[in-house]
Amino acid sequence: MRYKLLIAMAAFGLVATSAQANDPIAGLANTCNNCHGTGGVSVGHSMPSIAGLSETYLKHILMEWKSGARASANMTRLIAGYTDAEIAALAKYYSKLPWTPVVQSVSADLIAKGKDVTDRCETCHGVTGGKPDDEETPRLNGQWAKYLELEMLKYRDPGFQMTHKKMIRNAQKMEQGDVETAAKYYGAQSK
Amino acid sequence: MSQINRREFVKVIAVASSAAALSIPLSACAGPGTKRAASGGAKARVVVIGGGYGGATAAKYVKMLDAAIDVTLIEPNAVYTSCPLSNEVISGHRDIKTIQIGYDGLKKRGVNVLQDFVVGVDRAKKVVTTKGGKKLEYDTLVMSPGIEFHYNNIDGYSEAVTTDIPHAWKAGEQTLLLKKQLMAMPDGGKFVIVVPKGPFRCPPGPYERASLAANYFQHSGKKKSKVIILDANDSHSKKGLFTQAWGKMYGWEKDGMGTNSMIEWVAGSQGGNVNKLDAKSKTVSSDFVDMKGDVLNIIPAHKAGKIAVDSGLVGTKGNHFEMGWCKVDPMTMASAEDPNIYTIGDSCVAGEMALYGNPNANFDMPKSAHIAMTQAKVAAAAIVAKLNGLPTPQPYYANTCYSVVGDEYGFSVAHQYRVENGTFKYIKEGSGVSPMVMPDKSPVPALYRKLEAEYADGWLRNVMADAFV
């Protein structure tokens, strides 16, 4: 069903027009969509949807990768070739697209357990991950659980250079077995 | 089953529609340069030859950018099998169904999909003729036929022997044949991979295949087996990363000549340049080496697809990087031979062609699915802009190519290109391979390799959907 939703999204909402053929930022964004999905809505479990994330968050993270302050297995290499102005325009472009949760069903038990183990996340990300506290915090509702789990591994690995101290601290406090539960909990949230 | 109910579904669509309506002007469709089709109500007719990653993406994006354009994709197969990650099928790590996709997604978008084979292009009349006897007029043609094998570099080799000695370099039946042979090979057997001189489709492919075969041998009680790569080239894609991984996982030592090495790589100058095959005994030979394989996999040399050659779109002089491949205008991917035809994907020459072994080897635009898709998107935007009388858009080209080489072990290469003064410019700052060591010379954390193995799967799902759905 969720794939049908994505197709419908693309058919109804994200249909571009001929004017967009000439929009340089749309052209640049097209190269991002290879990995992040048509219109920035991913169908790959390990790859995040980026459409509808806040401009502040996107710009911040892209610029941190460009400067090398924040590690990434792949994005640091890709993003360093773009100008600051292009990065700012990309962040703005994707932030204007609708956030499209891809709800991944889990059991009621997991939801209950997930609610419990994400207590520490609530302050910044909100109860469901759908209403973050500020513009610097990404939405998590209906983001791919696999991707969220992999991100948590990065925060929990001291050898992986992440930048957000509060996030590192909290990620490392979590029990090993709770990481996947938390990721699946957010992946299952629709709003 | 999804938890999205109908009400939420409708709401999401409504939000998406209004956002699109607000942010994107619906004008600029019928400028003075707008071309009308000779017949029918469509604004113009675009015909796409070839339904691989390049052709499918071009068809989808032309239709997405301007629904008033009539788009027809011609492809002989009903189901496409992805070459990327097909090595995981060969080694038993992935089911072939996960790399297959049909054309229903494109049909739903309004693309006419014709299951047929193009036998001729009349460039003067702008008509495409198919094997099924159809004649299709076009205003703009996208040529994305992929590659044509050339067997004649190796004596005794021909298309006929590929039913016994697979190439598995066009995915599908050949992929399954090679898998079947590897599964049947007893412990202690030799799996020989023959690599043609570059440029070839999927530059890291042969070495990924060797890695995953070794991984399969390890996990299936065939640890005494060997993989031998006879390479016509003197270097290869991601060489440092591959040999580092082989050292960690597959006993690679002393350039592969150590007794514990499951993988051996023979460079062209060291006898890897195969020029003879005895199909009956599965023995390949170069000027220095005779090698009998229990399983033999010969990747034939290749050039642009036959229809591109027959249509007069390939280079007829220059070095072997130029001759036999389609030359393009970097701004638009339009053919250097015909402004109404756009040549994309593995059949075209793009970038400054550098030879492997050259320190600047990363300068060339590789023949990958990812680059074919960004080429297709550049072509689609250029076609739609031209048909609507708009200026030529700024092109962006990027490549990402993941190689999965073992359990939780992957790495990648990224390339970025821009166009300056009408020529391709390789953007070094936005390109490069995964690190061999960290900046402080410490080993790369295992998590990096695990992440990239996971990203390979996510990449595959997204490129398949971005091209075909």
Side-chain angles (χ1 to χ4, degrees):
Chain A
M1 277 305 288
R2 63 176 178 250
Y3 293 104
K4 282 191 183 157
L5 171 69
L6 294 181
I7 293 161
M9 279 295 304
F12 286 88
L14 304 173
V15 173
T17 72
S18 55
Q20 215 176 347
N22 210 247
D23 175 351
I25 292 309
L28 178 53
N30 276 345
T31 68
C32 311
N33 292 346
N34 273 28
C35 296
H36 291 284
T38 307
V41 181
S42 174
V43 299
H45 306 185
S46 59
M47 296 281 184
S49 289
I50 54 175
L53 290 172
S54 88
E55 183 179 350
T56 309
Y57 168 75
L58 286 171
K59 190 175 160 187
H60 178 71
I61 193 168
L62 291 171
M63 289 305 290
E64 280 198 340
W65 281 328
K66 186 178 177 183
S67 74
R70 181 186 180 114
S72 166
N74 50 4
M75 285 301 295
T76 42
R77 279 176 280 144
L78 287 162
I79 209 67
Y82 298 110
T83 66
D84 292 2
E86 284 169 333
I87 288 172
L90 275 177
K92 189 170 184 178
Y93 174 88
Y94 281 107
S95 74
K96 301 280 183 214
L97 298 176
W99 174 247
T100 311
V102 181
V103 177
Q104 304 135 65
S105 294
V106 293
S107 68
D109 279 0
L110 193 140
I111 294 286
K113 183 149 187 273
K115 172 90 178 57
D116 196 35
V117 303
T118 54
D119 267 356
R120 70 173 72 250
C121 318
E122 265 187 49
T123 324
C124 300
H125 290 282
V127 180
T128 62
K131 292 186 181 65
D133 192 47
D134 58 36
E135 291 289 302
E136 285 175 20
T137 310
R139 283 176 160 137
L140 306 178
N141 61 312
Q143 183 58 279
W144 285 103
K146 185 74 198 176
Y147 158 75
L148 293 174
E149 189 189 337
L150 295 172
E151 285 299 293
M152 288 297 284
L153 294 183
K154 286 156 67 171
Y155 280 110
R156 289 165 64 83
D157 187 334
F160 210 99
Q161 190 184 311
M162 298 300 266
T163 50
H164 199 288
K165 289 197 174 64
K166 195 172 174 187
M167 188 63 206
I168 295 168
R169 205 164 52 239
N170 278 285
Q172 294 185 354
K173 277 183 193 163
M174 281 180 85
E175 298 291 332
Q176 177 74 40
D178 292 343
V179 171
E180 193 184 340
T181 307
K184 285 186 169 166
Y185 168 80
Y186 286 121
Q189 303 299 323
S190 61
K191 50 189 167 186
Chain B
M1 275 289 109
S2 166
Q3 288 187 336
I4 298 172
N5 62 33
R6 198 182 138 70
R7 190 190 298 165
E8 285 174 70
F9 178 86
V10 171
K11 210 189 299 172
V12 173
I13 295 302
V15 168
S17 302
S18 59
L22 285 174
S23 62
I24 302 161
L26 289 155
S27 56
C29 287
T34 302
K35 292 186 180 173
R36 297 277 165 188
S39 59
K43 185 188 281 180
R45 295 154 306 179
V46 172
V47 172
V48 181
I49 300 177
Y53 280 107
T57 304
K60 170 175 165 175
Y61 273 76
V62 167
K63 200 71 190 171
M64 257 176 42
L65 289 167
D66 191 345
I69 295 174
D70 186 68
V71 181
T72 301
L73 175 77
I74 310 173
E75 159 63 38
N77 299 304
V79 173
Y80 181 70
T81 306
S82 169
C83 275
L85 291 179
S86 64
N87 281 331
E88 287 196 336
V89 175
I90 292 168
S91 61
H93 291 83
R94 177 183 283 279
D95 190 286
I96 195 161
K97 288 196 183 74
T98 66
I99 60 167
Q100 290 180 321
I101 192 161
Y103 295 90
D104 287 352
L106 292 179
K107 286 178 194 164
K108 279 181 192 151
R109 285 185 176 274
V111 173
N112 311 308
V113 179
L114 178 61
Q115 196 183 335
D116 207 336
F117 184 79
V118 176
V119 292
V121 176
D122 184 332
R123 283 167 44 192
K125 290 187 178 143
K126 302 214 273 186
V127 173
V128 164
T129 308
T130 71
K131 199 174 175 181
K134 290 211 165 55
K135 287 189 184 297
L136 286 90
E137 293 178 40
Y138 65 81
D139 298 297
T140 305
L141 183 66
V142 177
M143 179 71 81
S144 186
I147 53 168
E148 190 80 19
F149 290 135
H150 290 254
Y151 301 94
N152 53 6
N153 293 6
I154 298 175
D155 280 347
Y157 189 36
S158 67
E159 188 176 356
V161 305
T162 61
T163 53
D164 190 37
I165 299 170
H167 52 74
W169 217 242
K170 289 182 184 176
E173 284 304 312
Q174 282 277 307
T175 310
L176 295 173
L177 177 62
L178 183 55
K179 174 188 171 162
K180 195 174 146 197
Q181 292 186 357
L182 277 181
M183 304 287 140
M185 191 181 92
D187 190 18
K190 262 187 206 164
F191 172 38
V192 178
I193 303 173
V194 176
V195 184
K197 195 157 179 60
F200 54 82
R201 157 183 284 185
C202 190
Y207 320 99
E208 181 189 60
R209 179 170 290 180
S211 312
L212 288 173
N215 183 273
Y216 159 69
F217 294 148
Q218 271 185 342
H219 288 312
S220 56
K222 299 182 184 182
K223 286 185 185 170
K224 288 183 213 132
S225 306
K226 297 245 184 208
V227 188
I228 294 150
I229 307 165
L230 298 176
D231 200 328
N233 306 282
D234 281 338
S235 186
H236 64 78
S237 169
K238 306 176 190 167
K239 188 163 182 274
L241 285 161
F242 273 110
T243 50
Q244 185 185 53
W246 294 345
K248 282 181 200 287
M249 293 181 282
Y250 308 125
W252 173 271
E253 53 183 351
K254 296 174 190 161
D255 289 341
M257 297 302 174
T259 49
N260 292 320
S261 303
M262 291 185 79
I263 297 172
E264 187 180 323
W265 177 72
V266 184
S269 59
Q270 303 298 312
N273 194 2
V274 167
N275 52 28
K276 198 177 144 203
L277 164 70
D278 179 40
K280 207 174 164 197
S281 67
K282 290 198 178 174
T283 303
V284 283
S285 308
S286 70
D287 292 344
F288 312 109
V289 175
D290 294 306
M291 183 77 67
K292 181 175 160 32
D294 294 280
V295 175
L296 184 54
N297 168 214
I298 304 180
I299 301 163
H302 40 274
K303 295 280 188 186
K306 185 168 180 294
I307 190 65
V309 180
D310 293 348
S311 307
L313 299 172
V314 305
T316 51
K317 55 183 193 297
N319 64 27
H320 66 286
F321 280 85
E322 294 156 342
M323 208 160 72
W325 303 100
C326 303
K327 193 177 176 190
V328 299
D329 172 1
M331 279 301 287
T332 59
M333 295 304 296
S335 165
E337 304 294 331
D338 189 330
N340 297 312
I341 302 182
Y342 293 72
T343 48
I344 58 172
D346 291 352
S347 65
C348 77
V349 170
E352 300 168 38
M353 289 297 148
L355 290 157
Y356 285 115
N358 177 322
N360 299 325
N362 273 336
F363 281 44
D364 70 319
M365 208 179 265
K367 298 188 184 302
S368 75
H370 198 107
I371 206 85
M373 287 176 67
T374 57
Q375 289 171 347
K377 290 171 183 181
V378 166
I383 289 166
V384 172
K386 189 178 169 190
L387 289 172
N388 284 288
L390 296 166
T392 303
Q394 179 67 37
Y396 289 96
Y397 298 94
N399 179 50
T400 314
C401 165
Y402 291 96
S403 299
V404 180
V405 298
D407 302 330
E408 300 194 334
Y409 201 112
F411 44 70
S412 66
V413 62
H415 297 91
Q416 199 187 119
Y417 307 85
R418 292 177 189 247
V419 181
E420 283 180 12
N421 303 320
T423 58
F424 285 110
K425 184 163 185 262
Y426 171 71
I427 307 296
K428 199 177 162 199
E429 297 76 17
S431 306
V433 293
S434 305
M436 292 275 292
V437 291
M438 299 310 280
D440 66 359
K441 306 289 173 204
S442 62
V444 175
L447 182 55
Y448 275 73
R449 308 302 190 214
K450 176 187 161 71
L451 287 169
E452 294 218 83
E454 295 279 4
Y455 294 159
D457 178 72
W459 172 90
L460 174 76
R461 291 169 192 256
N462 274 324
V463 288
M464 283 177 74
D466 196 27
F468 294 88
V469 184

